[in-house]
């Protein structure tokens, strides 16, 4: 590989200059420009909007924008918009949606919508001295952030709690202002971070002006002020349930499925190796809906994985059981999302996705995301305890294999037909193509 030179001021180059630099430095094909241009949109205004979402944009990276119909959630029928590169995910969601639509659908319950952030700081003094004057500090913090919170308060949100925490186990002089927020329909990251940064400044000024503090106590070192993606009180529970015998038209199969399914879920709650993969299957659904609706899936994942480890052991996020002859399958997890602002209000396809899913509130979208997680988890675990996942997976993957082997449309159609009732693997497809080239 040709190693590029260190360059300063790259971001100041225009798009063409950046591409030229890349071609020259990495000795890329001259067609690279053409290739990148092919994925640029012809509509200038939308292209600019997409380019402005990031820095150093050269082209657009396309992923399929799909839908899965038939989601019955709290009695309402919905179509889920989904963006994913994994071929079996949409099929898995659609299959689970149709299956559970016939069995009373998915149910959701919002457990809380509290978001959090911290001002991390050091202070040299007796902890009691700080806690004694905390109510006075709190008043100043609230007064100084008022210009930032007034709009959110009009919408029913704002700061709901400010606590002072001393954490000597981290460092003897380490403290936090631990702040809780309600951000209504917004994800609220910018709002929260602006409030926290203001609080950091107020804290410093307050200490400096405090007549009861010694000189060395007047110095507060603000280490950082930032929201937390760990939001266990911004939590939703979703579930499906039905009599065990309704799981399959064959009573024995229904019981076998229920027993094996519950076992598989319980393994994920005790074995970390299985738990991680189990949760990956949950995030297959959640991420696809989060991306389609312009939500920050990294924040959702980080918070979800931390919650999965909140007992001290990393566990599967879902749970299942059989109670009084009823099979139930549930998922409870934190989900901080927004439906106004950010990419959701900017990206034309995210706006369309919001229309497709019925313009939900942030609370509703929390439920729908968890439903997508439970649905993909249902399909994955059901396949694992019955046929195994490879059968369905490789069928979905067949067109990717054929595309990678650069077959003609005609060959592709013939191969799809041939493999309709046959096992798919890369080598089987290669053999088939060799045979049929003769
Ligand atoms: C593949 O993307 C996801 C699964 O591995 C999830 C699981 O094992 O439960 C099928």
């Amino acid at each position: 590989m040709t190693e590029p030179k260190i360059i300063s001021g790259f971001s100041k180059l225009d798009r063409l200059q950046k591409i030229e630099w890349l071609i020259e430095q990495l000795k890329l094909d001259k067609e690279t420009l053409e290739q990148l241009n092919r994925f640029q949109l012809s509509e200038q205004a939308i292209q600019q909007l997409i380019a402005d979402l990031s820095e150093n944009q050269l082209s657009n990276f396309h992923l399929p924008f799909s839908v899965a119909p038939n989601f019955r959630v709290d009695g309402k029928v919905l179509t889920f918009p989904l963006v994913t590169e994994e071929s079996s995910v949409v099929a898995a969601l659609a299959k689970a949606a149709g299956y559970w639509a016939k069995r009373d659908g998915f149910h959701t319950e919002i457990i809380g919508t509290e978001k959090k952030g911290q001002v991390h700081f050091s202070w040299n003094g007796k902890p009691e001295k700080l806690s004694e004057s905390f109510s006075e500090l709190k008043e100043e913090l609230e007064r100084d952030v008022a210009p930032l919170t007034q709009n959110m308060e009009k919408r029913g949100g704002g700061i709901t709690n400010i606590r002072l925490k001393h954490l000597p186990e981290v460092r003897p002089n380490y403290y936090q202002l631990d702040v809780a927020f309600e951000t209504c329909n917004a994800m609220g990251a910018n709002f929260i971070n602006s409030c926290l940064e203001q609080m950091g400044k107020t804290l410093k000024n307050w200490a400096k002006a405090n007549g009861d503090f010694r000189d060395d106590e007047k110095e507060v070192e603000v280490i950082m002020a930032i929201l937390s993606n760990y939001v266990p009180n911004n939590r939703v529970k979703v579930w499906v349930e039905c009599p065990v015998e309704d799981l399959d038209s064959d009573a024995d199969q229904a019981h076998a499925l229920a027993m094996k399914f519950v076992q598989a879920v319980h393994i994920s709650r005790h074995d970390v190796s299985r738990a991680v993969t189990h949760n990956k299957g949950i995030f297959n659904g959640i991420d696809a809906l989060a991306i389609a609706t312009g939500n920050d899936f990294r924040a959702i994942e980080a918070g979800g994985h931390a919650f999965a480890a909140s007992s001290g052991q990393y566990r599967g996020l879902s749970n299942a059981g059989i109670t009084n002859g009823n099979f139930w399958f549930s998922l409870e997890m934190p989900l901080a999302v927004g439906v106004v602002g950010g990419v959701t209000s900017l990206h034309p396809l995210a706006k369309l996705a919001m229309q497709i899913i019925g313009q939900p509130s942030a609370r509703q979208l929390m439920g729908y995301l968890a439903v997508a997680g439970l649905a993909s988890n249902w399909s994955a675990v059901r396949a694992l305890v019955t046929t195994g996942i490879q059968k369905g997976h490789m069928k979905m993957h067949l067109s990717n294999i054929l595309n990678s082997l650069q077959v003609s449309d005609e060959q592709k159609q013939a191969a799809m037909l041939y493999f309709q009732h046959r096992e798919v693997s890369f080598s089987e497809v290669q053999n088939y193509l060799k045979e049929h080239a003769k």
Side-chain angles (χ1 to χ4, degrees), residues 86 274 277-278 280-281 284 380-381 384 389:
E86 192 172 330
R274 176 56 204 149
T277 319
H278 182 93
K280 192 273 183 186
N284 274 345
V381 175
L384 287 172
I389 60 154

Side-chain angles (χ1 to χ4, degrees), residues 27-94:
K27 309 274 176 278
L28 299 176
D29 291 346
K30 289 277 175 284
E31 289 79 60
T32 302
L33 172 62
E34 211 177 286
Q35 195 185 353
L36 290 168
N37 281 345
R38 204 176 318 136
F39 295 98
Q40 286 279 98
L41 300 170
S42 52
E43 235 179 284
Q44 203 45 46
I46 299 183
Q47 181 50 63
Q48 196 54 49
L49 201 144
I50 303 289
D52 289 346
L53 292 177
S54 180
E55 175 101 331
N56 297 339
Q57 185 263 359
L58 305 182
S59 185
N60 305 314
F61 190 100
H62 293 241
L63 287 175
F65 178 86
S66 311
V67 289
N70 301 329
F71 273 97
R72 190 188 291 280
V73 185
D74 299 328
K76 218 176 185 175
V77 178
L78 299 163
T79 303
F80 279 15
L82 302 161
V83 173
T84 177
E85 89 300 348
E86 192 172 330
S87 43
S88 54
V89 167
V90 175
L93 281 159

Side-chain angles (χ1 to χ4, degrees), residues 11 54 56 61 72 81 84 86 123 131 173-174 189 238 247 261 274 289 316 325 353 359 365 377 383 419:
S11 66
S54 180
N56 297 339
F61 190 100
R72 190 188 291 280
T84 177
E86 192 172 330
W123 184 71
S131 30
N173 60 354
Y174 168 61
V238 298
L247 285 174
F261 193 98
R274 176 56 204 149
L289 179 54
Q359 301 291 12
L365 187 59
N377 193 208
F419 281 104

Side-chain angles (χ1 to χ4, degrees), residues 63-369:
L63 287 175
F65 178 86
S66 311
V67 289
N70 301 329
F71 273 97
R72 190 188 291 280
V73 185
D74 299 328
K76 218 176 185 175
V77 178
L78 299 163
T79 303
F80 279 15
L82 302 161
V83 173
T84 177
E85 89 300 348
E86 192 172 330
S87 43
S88 54
V89 167
V90 175
L93 281 159
K95 208 166 166 189
Y99 181 91
W100 283 105
K102 295 191 197 110
R103 293 162 178 82
D104 200 28
F106 295 83
H107 307 275
T108 73
E109 182 194 337
I110 303 297
I111 294 167
T113 57
E114 180 189 87
K115 298 198 171 74
K116 291 294 284 281
Q118 282 98 23
V119 179
H120 304 262
F121 67 98
S122 300
W123 184 71
N124 294 313
K126 286 222 165 66
E128 309 81 64
K129 205 162 173 182
L130 204 52
S131 30
E132 274 157 24
S133 44
F134 180 58
S135 55
E136 187 193 304
L137 166 63
K138 204 169 155 196
E139 267 176 38
E140 277 198 38
L141 292 169
E142 281 164 353
R143 196 195 55 215
D144 285 4
V145 290
L148 296 171
T149 57
Q150 63 190 16
N151 275 342
M152 191 58 87
E153 278 164 14
K154 278 188 206 141
R155 285 183 255 145
I159 292 173
T160 55
N161 199 8
I162 309 175
R163 288 190 306 160
L164 174 71
K165 282 186 174 174
H166 180 214
L167 298 161
E169 64 275 23
V170 180
R171 267 171 50 180
N173 60 354
Y174 168 61
Y175 296 81
Q176 288 179 359
L177 289 176
D178 186 65
V179 190
F181 298 85
E182 170 56 58
T183 59
C184 307
N185 270 334
M187 163 73 178
N190 285 330
F191 164 70
I192 293 175
N193 288 332
S194 300
C195 289
L196 293 169
E197 287 188 7
Q198 177 55 55
M199 285 182 169
K201 286 180 199 146
T202 301
L203 171 66
K204 272 178 96 69
N205 293 339
W206 170 80
K208 201 161 271 157
N210 196 317
D212 295 335
F213 283 2
R214 295 186 320 252
D215 277 356
D216 62 332
E217 290 171 339
K218 287 183 190 290
E219 266 320 304
V220 164
E221 188 202 6
V222 173
I223 302 161
M224 58 190 159
I226 184 72
L227 66 71
S228 171
N229 290 121
Y230 186 52
V231 280
N233 295 330
N234 192 146
R235 204 161 82 244
V236 60
K237 180 177 175 181
V238 298
W239 68 97
V240 287
E241 59 187 328
C242 71
V244 169
E245 54 271 24
D246 286 1
L247 285 174
D248 198 291
S249 51
D250 178 293
D252 288 344
Q253 300 257 31
H255 277 95
L257 172 62
M259 298 296 286
K260 239 176 146 187
F261 193 98
V262 169
Q263 273 183 50
V265 173
H266 282 189
I267 291 169
S268 85
R269 296 186 64 80
H270 292 94
D271 176 70
V272 68
S273 293
R274 176 56 204 149
V276 173
T277 319
H278 182 93
N279 288 344
K280 192 273 183 186
I282 293 176
F283 283 108
N284 274 345
I286 296 180
D287 288 357
L289 179 54
I291 296 171
T293 55
N295 274 286
D296 182 345
F297 63 96
R298 286 88 56 214
I300 293 174
E301 289 239 8
H305 291 299
F307 188 69
S310 58
S311 67
Q313 147 134 31
Y314 185 91
R315 297 180 193 281
L317 284 162
S318 60
N319 205 351
I322 300 168
T323 311
N324 301 327
N326 251 355
F327 167 82
W328 57 267
F329 178 41
S330 66
L331 168 65
E332 186 173 326
M333 63 178 289
L335 268 159
V337 294
V339 294
V340 293
V343 179
T344 309
S345 311
L346 269 180
H347 197 297
L349 286 178
K351 284 198 227 171
L352 177 62
M354 288 298 290
Q355 274 177 32
I356 291 172
I357 201 166
Q359 301 291 12
S361 64
R363 289 170 72 92
Q364 287 170 317
L365 187 59
M366 274 170 81
Y368 300 166
L369 284 157

